[in-house]
Amino acid sequence: MSFDSPIRDLETLLKDIDAGKIQLPDFQRPWKWDVDRIRSLLASIAKGFPVGVVMTLETGSDEVNFAVRPLSGARTSNATPHFLLLDGQQRLTSLYQSLLGQEPVDSCDPRGKVMRGYFYIRIDASLDPDLDMEDDAIFFVKEDRVVRANFDRDVVADFSDMEKEIAAGVFPLNKIFDTSYTRKYSRQFHNSHPDSDNMLDDFFDGPLKQLSEYKVPVIELSNTTKREAVCTVFEKVNTGGVALNVFELLTATFAAGSADFRLNDDWTARKKKIVSLRPVLSGLENTDFLQAISLLASRKRRLNYSGESEKVPGITCKRKDILKLSLDDYLEWADRLTDAFIWAGQFINNQFIFRHQDLPYRTQLVPLAAIRVALGTDADLQGVARLITRWYWSGVLGELYGGAVETRFARDLEEVEAWVRGGNEPGTVAGASFNPDRLLTLRTRNSAAYKGIYALTMRGDVKDWIYNRTINQGSYQDFAIDIHHIFPQKWCATAGIDNALVQSIVNKTPISSSTNRFISAKAPSRYVAELAARAQITAEEIHASIAAHQIEVPHLLTDDFHAFFEDRRHRLLNLIASAMGKPVLTSDLYGRDDFELFDEAELIESGAE
């Protein structure tokens, strides 16, 4: 990546904006600084203070081929830009509208209320060293150039023509580069203020000269800069705004190639469809979709590899590879992938995950959807579904999808597809393990494993203890099911139970908000007895309902927290081992080790759910 770092006249930059020589890549966000912030910027320039570096990108290459638009307020429409503005949009747009544009500055107050008008500078105040340039000299006037008070009934000041400006001793900042205006202003000012003691000359040689001859350092990136570098550079310099991602960059790239296609509009419609059918995927992001597109496009290139070159194309979804996607790549896979994400949402629901906040890893949806496209309807075959389910839970319970996981995505797509066709276990399955001690530290939804175990505890005919309805997608919503303590916190605190154990997922289970309120701070022996009466069922029935939550009821009847905790810990480890399809080395709380072995039929049955 090559670049120059010239010092440019502010006037030249603003006139290049006006002529369309400098424009914005379409991935830039809209502009709107408030009036106070613009006034502060103008004051800094009037005092000769530095206001930061501007960064531009030279146009004229395939790498720099983005849809473009003028800066807000610029008069150009169809000009071809020489440079794209990467950093400095807010500053240069503010300065263009304030100092060169002839239309009112389109701004707002600090609360966001729209304000349109012009900036002025008080000549005498700008020259007074005891006054502040920002607070006392530079001010904003609404677009009719009249200052009013008393609910707009009284006119306080009128700057609607040059004669009135001169009488008030103010100068319009959008005329500083207009030499004919400044000459006329000077003549009339001296005629109107013959005793001004050269005040206007001091103003022209001081604050006005600082503004009109201000220099701006510019970093100019050459048009050989790669798209990935553009994305990285933008992220680094755009610290005051929202970080640019590959989606915005591709939006601009695709728009440059086809004026009829808007990536953002297409994605918005697809996500709306996906979420309307599968609300659990409401957190799905546009970059997730592009990663899956990249996986499938690169997989196709690999499958079509003829062996003519030395390097076999890799399956990939890294940023640099996403930025190489063409519009044709996107359109080839987008429909199938939309259907695959809808399928993935149903798969997630089948794992008893019903809300997006309970989804262990949003990122794991990327390879899951890509796998569905690669396998087609074979993904629904019972044996194949069992393997995909094992892969999914291995990733969740092995906590393998945090951080940068693009390489795992690519490996999973290739290896899971091969696995279901008779190949070896994927690395995600073979390498996943669960440390039993992890149960003691899983206490909040911040952990994917916590969310995963929560979902596992709903497998099978698990019911709420009051409503006695099996927990499924409908009852989960109807009865506000959530994860709550089995031994209540207050009771445990009174009994002196270690809070680390109390907050562990071992002491939590899915029940309705009504059941949780009924339990309150009661001793388990008390609420178990009272639940039967509340639910209007027998003691045996309520015991069976509680036992389905992987709970040994006698431990609740005797209020024996430690016996309950140790027993349920082993039961949860059984669920984990069943979901992952492999034994888990366990130990009791006193350090005695033993291997938990699981019946193969049980593993198969559980994995096929």
Side-chain angles (χ1 to χ4, degrees):
M1 179 173 66
S2 61
F3 64 90
D4 292 323
S5 52
I7 303 296
R8 303 294 190 197
D9 290 331
L10 175 61
E11 180 181 7
T12 300
L13 287 175
L14 299 185
K15 288 184 176 179
D16 282 349
I17 290 170
D18 193 61
K21 294 180 181 180
I22 296 176
Q23 295 190 43
L24 294 170
D26 204 32
F27 53 72
Q28 281 274 29
R29 272 66 169 195
W31 166 86
K32 186 155 284 189
W33 265 11
D34 63 56
V35 166
D36 289 350
R37 197 164 184 182
I38 299 173
R39 184 170 60 245
S40 178
L41 174 67
L42 293 170
S44 294
I45 292 177
K47 291 184 285 189
F49 293 171
V51 294
V53 177
V54 167
M55 182 178 293
T56 61
L57 174 65
E58 183 186 18
T59 62
S61 73
D62 291 339
E63 286 290 339
V64 187
N65 184 24
F66 306 123
V68 299
R69 56 183 170 85
L71 275 70
S72 178
R75 290 173 289 191
T76 181
S77 57
N78 298 316
T80 299
H82 298 176
F83 291 94
L84 302 181
L85 184 59
L86 295 185
D87 186 36
Q89 178 195 5
Q90 303 287 351
R91 285 168 289 154
L92 287 187
T93 305
S94 298
L95 294 173
Y96 172 81
Q97 291 197 12
S98 303
L99 304 180
L100 189 68
Q102 299 309 300
E103 295 299 318
V105 176
D106 185 9
S107 186
C108 60
D109 67 13
R111 294 171 296 180
K113 181 181 178 181
V114 173
M115 297 183 70
R116 287 173 54 83
Y118 301 90
F119 283 93
Y120 279 84
I121 185 168
R122 293 185 177 89
I123 295 172
D124 56 353
S126 70
L127 297 172
D128 190 335
D130 295 326
L131 296 179
D132 184 76
M133 186 73 72
E134 180 178 344
D135 295 334
D136 302 311
I138 296 177
F139 64 100
F140 180 80
V141 178
K142 291 182 179 179
E143 57 186 315
D144 64 358
R145 300 181 189 262
V146 177
V147 180
R148 294 180 172 87
N150 192 21
F151 300 100
D152 289 343
R153 288 192 288 264
D154 301 331
V155 174
V156 176
D158 187 344
F159 312 123
S160 55
D161 59 39
M162 182 184 292
E163 182 178 343
K164 293 172 182 176
E165 292 169 348
I166 291 172
V170 301
F171 189 89
L173 288 180
N174 67 335
K175 298 296 185 181
I176 65 170
F177 301 119
D178 186 338
T179 54
S180 63
Y181 188 94
T182 55
R183 282 198 297 267
K184 183 177 179 181
Y185 187 99
S186 178
R187 287 196 303 270
Q188 293 193 21
F189 186 93
H190 284 109
N191 291 335
S192 302
H193 299 79
D195 301 323
S196 61
D197 295 328
N198 298 321
M199 179 175 66
L200 187 66
D201 295 337
D202 293 340
F203 170 70
F204 279 3
D205 288 338
L208 195 67
K209 185 176 182 179
Q210 289 282 13
L211 285 160
S212 60
E213 297 184 5
Y214 191 80
K215 308 290 185 182
V216 180
V218 180
I219 297 175
E220 295 179 351
L221 304 181
S222 75
N223 59 15
T224 60
T225 304
K226 300 295 183 183
R227 288 181 191 169
E228 184 186 12
V230 173
C231 193
T232 300
V233 167
F234 191 88
E235 288 174 343
K236 299 299 184 185
V237 302
N238 193 34
T239 55
V242 181
L244 174 72
N245 62 36
V246 293
F247 185 85
E248 280 87 5
L249 211 55
L250 278 187
T251 296
T253 303
F254 289 173
S258 172
D260 297 328
F261 184 81
R262 300 294 296 179
L263 178 60
N264 188 62
D265 294 343
D266 184 81
W267 161 247
T268 299
R270 292 182 187 280
K271 182 174 180 180
K272 183 178 180 180
K273 177 182 179 180
I274 293 169
V275 174
S276 69
L277 296 172
R278 303 289 182 260
V280 72
L281 300 189
S282 61
L284 189 67
E285 295 186 359
N286 49 33
T287 48
D288 301 328
F289 197 78
L290 290 181
Q291 283 183 312
I293 292 280
S294 181
L295 287 175
L296 294 169
S298 58
R299 170 182 173 270
K300 180 183 178 180
R301 288 192 291 271
R302 185 181 182 91
L303 292 175
N304 292 340
Y305 172 66
S306 63
E308 296 176 357
S309 60
E310 294 183 1
K311 188 175 182 181
V312 180
I315 298 176
T316 179
C317 64
K318 293 182 178 180
R319 182 167 67 179
K320 64 182 179 62
D321 301 296
I322 295 175
L323 291 173
K324 294 177 183 177
L325 288 173
S326 67
L327 179 56
D328 288 340
D329 289 330
Y330 180 86
L331 294 175
E332 178 178 3
W333 298 105
D335 286 345
R336 279 177 280 181
L337 195 54
T338 299
D339 292 339
F341 273 110
I342 293 170
W343 175 92
Q346 185 58 57
F347 174 90
I348 294 297
N349 288 158
N350 291 343
Q351 308 309 312
F352 294 87
I353 301 167
F354 305 119
R355 302 183 304 175
H356 73 91
Q357 57 264 46
D358 292 326
L359 187 66
Y361 286 118
R362 191 201 77 246
T363 51
Q364 200 173 1
L365 295 169
V366 174
L368 178 60
I371 287 167
R372 174 64 172 86
V373 173
L375 295 178
T377 56
D378 284 357
D380 296 315
L381 298 175
Q382 190 173 138
V384 174
R386 183 185 307 139
L387 296 180
I388 293 175
T389 303
R390 272 194 64 198
W391 162 81
Y392 179 78
W393 285 109
S394 294
V396 170
L397 299 168
E399 300 182 274
L400 300 177
Y401 286 89
V405 287
E406 292 88 351
T407 300
R408 183 175 296 279
F409 292 170
R411 197 165 58 236
D412 279 340
L413 173 57
E414 183 176 15
E415 293 179 355
V416 172
E417 183 181 4
W419 187 34
V420 303
R421 305 195 193 286
N424 296 326
E425 281 188 348
T428 294
V429 175
S433 62
F434 185 85
N435 182 348
D437 292 339
R438 187 77 174 98
L439 286 178
L440 304 179
T441 61
L442 293 174
R443 298 167 190 164
T444 70
R445 281 191 176 89
N446 292 333
S447 164
Y450 179 99
K451 297 177 183 179
I453 295 169
Y454 170 40
L456 290 178
T457 58
M458 289 183 271
R459 276 186 166 191
D461 190 23
V462 176
K463 299 177 180 179
D464 178 68
W465 298 341
I466 285 182
Y467 296 111
N468 201 38
R469 261 183 59 182
T470 300
I471 297 175
N472 54 34
Q473 191 165 7
S475 61
Y476 191 92
Q477 303 294 337
D478 291 344
F479 298 127
I481 302 294
D482 206 342
I483 191 165
H484 295 290
H485 294 82
I486 300 168
F487 274 71
Q489 297 181 79
K490 289 184 179 179
W491 183 91
C492 290
T494 302
I497 306 298
D498 185 348
N499 190 56
L501 301 180
V502 175
Q503 301 304 330
S504 164
I505 195 169
V506 177
N507 186 40
K508 296 177 183 177
T509 203
I511 52 178
S512 68
S513 57
S514 297
T515 298
N516 185 54
R517 287 194 300 270
F518 180 82
I519 289 172
S520 185
K522 299 171 184 175
S525 58
R526 177 185 168 188
Y527 76 65
V528 170
E530 294 178 356
L531 274 171
R534 175 69 181 84
Q536 299 183 22
I537 57 178
T538 66
E540 290 75 15
E541 288 175 310
I542 196 63
H543 289 182
S545 183
I546 294 173
H549 287 243
Q550 306 296 323
I551 296 170
E552 184 72 9
V553 177
H555 297 320
L556 269 60
L557 297 177
T558 58
D559 296 328
D560 190 340
F561 177 88
H562 292 289
F564 148 79
F565 192 94
E566 180 65 6
D567 176 78
R568 194 164 194 263
R569 190 172 71 95
H570 279 263
R571 290 173 183 267
L572 293 184
L573 290 173
N574 277 339
L575 285 181
I576 293 166
S578 178
M580 297 176 70
K582 61 177 64 176
V584 177
L585 175 63
T586 69
S587 63
D588 63 23
L589 292 178
Y590 305 99
R592 296 190 296 269
D593 294 333
D594 64 287
F595 281 94
E596 290 288 336
L597 299 177
F598 304 94
D599 182 79
E600 183 67 21
E602 179 185 350
L603 290 177
I604 293 174
E605 180 181 356
S606 176
E609 289 181 353

